């Protein structure tokens, strides 16, 4: 049915990941001119719940083997982390940091409940670093604005491109940093599964290398 798909593909996306899904949507739209997209920024838990209740067709969410009984999962990236900061306020003088380097910094972070926040909390606790964030927000945009202004630094995904939003921003890798689960394209295993969801899942599988992340 290539070129014959019609309708709206409802897509859930986590707000922070080291993978940009928009080029995939753009390429899919180029092949299927009658397809439209409804995009929602949600937590991984909200995305999976949206699949359960048929409010979403597909989702880019952090998921692992525990979720495979209910969802078809295709890993698109392993997300690693870095420190986003304003280079006019901070200089570190080396190409990579470790978690202990963050202990004395004013940090901004996403609100609790997001998988990326849980991964950061876990990494900091494992390194023995006490987290006392200066800024907590449920908005990635507010977080980036706070970093741009020099109010705080923030742990962000490598490969997210957030450092390109402002010439003053820099993103340094943090050693031994990754999310607790990989980023996956998720669809329901059981009915109903739309033709759009099946076509998009196959489209992504053909274009994304499993070891891309």
């Amino acid at each position: 049915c290539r070129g014959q798909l019609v309708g709206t593909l409802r897509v859930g996306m986590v707000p922070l990941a080291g993978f940009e899904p928009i080029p995939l949507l753009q390429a899919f739209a180029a092949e299927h001119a009658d397809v439209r997209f409804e995009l929602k920024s949600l937590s991984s838990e909200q995305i999976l719940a949206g699949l359960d209740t048929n409010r979403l067709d597909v989702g880019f969410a952090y998921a692992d083997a525990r979720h495979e009984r209910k969802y078809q999962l295709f890993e698109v990236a392993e997300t690693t982390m870095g420190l986003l900061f304003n280079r006019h306020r901070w200089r570190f003088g080396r190409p990579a940091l470790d978690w202990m380097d963050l202990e004395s910094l004013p940090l901004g972070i996403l609100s609790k409940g997001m998988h990326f926040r849980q991964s950061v909390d876990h990494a900091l606790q494992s390194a023995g670093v006490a987290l006392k964030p200066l800024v907590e927000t449920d908005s990635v945009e507010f977080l980036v604005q706070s970093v741009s202004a020099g109010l705080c630094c923030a742990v962000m995904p490598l490969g997210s491109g957030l450092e390109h939003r402002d010439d003053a921003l820099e993103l340094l890798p943090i050693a031994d940093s990754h999310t607790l689960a990989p980023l996956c394209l998720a669809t329901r295993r059981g009915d109903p599964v739309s033709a759009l969801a099946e076509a998009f899942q196959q489209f992504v599988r053909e274009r994304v290398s499993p070891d891309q992340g």
Side-chain angles (χ1 to χ4, degrees), residues 52-141:
D52 288 340
T53 56
N54 197 30
R55 289 180 287 112
L56 293 174
D57 298 305
V58 299
F60 290 92
Y62 291 110
D64 55 30
R66 296 171 299 164
H67 302 99
E68 289 182 339
R69 182 178 62 83
K70 293 180 65 177
Y71 311 101
Q72 299 246 21
L73 301 178
F74 175 68
E75 183 177 338
V76 296
E78 180 183 10
T79 301
T80 54
M81 306 177 190
L83 184 72
L84 187 70
F85 61 95
N86 185 317
R87 64 166 60 94
H88 299 312
R89 181 168 178 190
W90 289 281
R91 293 185 183 276
F92 296 97
R94 57 189 188 278
L97 306 173
D98 58 43
W99 290 107
M100 291 301 299
D101 293 318
L102 278 58
E103 191 164 34
S104 60
L105 295 173
L107 285 181
I109 198 165
L110 280 182
S111 303
K112 290 182 180 295
M114 305 295 287
H115 181 89
F116 192 84
R117 167 66 187 269
Q118 295 168 3
S119 298
V120 173
D121 285 348
H122 180 268
L124 289 169
Q125 291 168 4
S126 297
V129 178
L131 178 64
K132 295 180 180 179
L134 177 64
V135 176
E136 288 191 67
T137 177
D138 61 359
S139 166
V140 174
E141 190 61 36

Side-chain angles (χ1 to χ4, degrees), residues 17-21 24 59-61 73-79 182-186 204-205 208-213:
F19 177 84
E20 178 51 72
L24 284 172
F60 290 92
L73 301 178
F74 175 68
E75 183 177 338
V76 296
E78 180 183 10
T79 301
L183 186 73
C184 296
L185 174 66
V204 173
R205 286 177 179 270
V208 178
S209 169
D211 59 356
Q212 178 173 323

Side-chain angles (χ1 to χ4, degrees), residues 188-193:
R188 283 184 298 275
R189 281 197 179 276
D191 293 332
V193 178

